[in-house]
Amino acid sequence: MAQSMSLLLVLCLFAFVPLCFSANLYPQFYDHSCPKAQEIVKSVVAEAVAKETRMAASLLRLSFHDCFVQGCDASLFLDSSGTIVSEKRSVPNANSARGFEVIDAIKSALEKECPNTVSCADILAIAARDSTVLAGGPSWEVPLGRRDSTGASLSGSNNNIPAPNNTFQTILTKFKRQGLDLVDLVALSGSHTIGDSRCTSFRQRLYNQSGNGQPDFSLDQSYAAQLRSRCPRSGGDQNLFFLDYVSPTKFDNYYYKNILASKGLLNSDEVLFTKNEASRALVQKYAENNEAFIQQFAKSMLKMTSITPLTGSRGQIRKNCRKVNS
């Protein structure tokens, strides 16, 4: 623990990171109260990803969609009940966010092993790391000690999570609100190296990018023609497409290489290269240097999963991730 805390001091001296004001998060948090916690999470995640490769991307995405709303507090898992309106109903999550049953399975296993001990927020932080590793990406030590919220924010989910058709400046502003910077934006966008996107998320690029009935000509036109074959002007909203068509299940830097080739699927991918010089330079850097991407992704995930956690006596340890303790 002393080594981890000294590393934390170094991070705080040289960079603004959420860890600096979340110093009561540390990797050994459950060493005595639930020593098998991380092993149990890893086992259930591995089983889920073995059944369905896409689940790695789905669990990683849940982490983004939770932390960008009220911080990393598992508010995303709450179902609607009483005064709670679930974030699962928001535009970024409806018919899209998935993997909740995997979180339920992890929680159930942990409640048997060590009741009322491991938070749903910590489960998600560990699962996001393990999903990344299973897809061939980097590992990192996950600081632990988060607690779970007793409320959700539908409006926060609708307003805070970057959308595929947002402008570059809007996306960057949404990141900065969370204490994340342009480097984090470009590195964390690299999570699109795995997983799928729905036709409805990029249709405007194929048919009506600027409201004038014209496609987005910054998208490679042969690639666009392939996309149109399964993403028509109307219908097929839920049809799935690889975010990285070259290596869709492998965590690597082909996401950035695709952007350089004008084959980034989402508008939010393409604008990283076309709308900002500093962002463009980072896309080029990560396209050329997989190791640089991998290292920065781990650093940025540490920052992102430490956004304003509930600690100490704030929040609770939910017995069921879907509902507040009675």
Side-chain angles (χ1 to χ4, degrees):
M1 180 178 168
Q3 188 178 5
S4 293
M5 294 306 282
S6 62
L7 172 61
L8 184 59
L9 285 172
V10 172
L11 283 170
C12 292
L13 283 171
F14 290 102
F16 171 79
V17 291
L19 284 173
C20 301
F21 51 83
S22 307
N24 38 1
L25 296 185
Y26 53 94
Q28 299 81 6
F29 190 85
Y30 297 111
D31 278 8
H32 299 295
S33 59
C34 193
K36 291 185 180 176
Q38 296 206 49
E39 183 184 319
I40 288 169
V41 176
K42 183 178 180 180
S43 172
V44 178
V45 171
E47 187 179 338
V49 173
K51 281 183 188 170
E52 184 194 13
T53 310
R54 182 186 171 205
M55 190 53 69
S58 297
L59 292 171
L60 183 54
R61 185 168 182 256
L62 287 183
S63 180
F64 285 84
H65 283 221
D66 180 54
C67 289
F68 269 68
V69 184
Q70 301 187 165
C72 308
D73 62 359
S75 61
L76 173 56
F77 298 146
L78 289 169
D79 290 336
S80 294
S81 65
T83 59
I84 293 171
V85 181
S86 178
E87 293 169 17
K88 295 172 186 175
R89 294 184 178 184
S90 72
V91 173
N93 294 325
N95 301 313
S96 174
R98 59 196 299 278
F100 299 110
E101 70 286 352
V102 179
I103 301 297
D104 293 339
I106 296 169
K107 184 61 175 170
S108 177
L110 285 169
E111 285 299 305
K112 285 177 187 168
E113 176 71 20
C114 36
N116 309 314
T117 303
V118 183
S119 69
C120 303
D122 276 346
I123 287 172
L124 182 55
I126 300 167
R129 187 270 314 276
D130 291 346
S131 295
T132 302
V133 172
L134 285 165
S139 184
W140 58 89
E141 270 203 307
V142 180
L144 301 166
R146 298 165 192 78
R147 289 166 66 84
D148 301 324
S149 70
T150 54
S153 175
L154 180 65
S155 63
S157 188
N158 277 321
N159 295 327
N160 294 0
I161 297 170
N165 59 350
N166 279 161
T167 65
F168 175 84
Q169 195 54 52
T170 298
I171 296 168
L172 181 59
T173 298
K174 289 180 177 182
F175 268 73
K176 284 184 173 177
R177 278 187 205 142
Q178 307 301 334
L180 302 170
D181 59 24
L182 183 140
V183 175
D184 299 315
L185 163 57
V186 180
L188 292 173
S189 294
S191 62
H192 288 175
T193 180
I194 56 174
D196 303 330
S197 182
R198 298 174 299 155
C199 165
T200 186
S201 296
F202 60 87
R203 175 184 280 122
Q204 89 285 347
R205 298 193 74 196
L206 304 180
Y207 302 102
N208 191 23
Q209 174 70 350
S210 304
N212 60 0
Q214 294 295 310
D216 180 355
F217 290 109
S218 71
L219 184 64
D220 178 88
Q221 292 307 294
S222 63
Y223 179 51
Q226 291 174 32
L227 297 174
R228 286 190 196 97
S229 68
R230 289 184 49 244
C231 185
R233 282 181 184 273
S234 61
D237 284 6
Q238 306 303 315
N239 290 352
L240 293 173
F241 296 77
F242 294 134
L243 283 159
D244 167 5
Y245 74 98
V246 177
S247 55
T249 61
K250 189 181 179 201
F251 204 98
D252 59 23
N253 64 339
Y254 264 101
Y255 164 76
Y256 300 102
K257 293 179 181 181
N258 294 340
I259 292 175
L260 291 186
S262 301
K263 295 179 181 179
L265 181 63
L266 305 180
N267 189 66
S268 55
D269 300 325
E270 201 65 40
V271 294
L272 297 179
F273 188 68
T274 57
K275 300 299 182 183
N276 180 277
E277 272 186 46
S279 174
R280 175 196 291 256
L282 285 166
V283 170
Q284 289 174 316
K285 176 182 176 179
Y286 298 148
E288 293 165 5
N289 189 334
N290 187 58
E291 189 57 36
F293 160 53
I294 291 292
Q295 288 180 4
Q296 185 58 52
F297 184 83
K299 289 177 188 173
S300 294
M301 279 297 291
L302 264 172
K303 282 177 70 173
M304 198 270 295
T305 54
S306 298
I307 295 171
T308 54
L310 298 172
T311 57
S313 60
R314 295 184 303 147
Q316 60 180 214
I317 307 296
R318 285 189 222 136
K319 294 182 176 72
N320 179 336
C321 292
R322 293 175 182 263
K323 60 185 184 181
V324 174
N325 297 342
S326 54

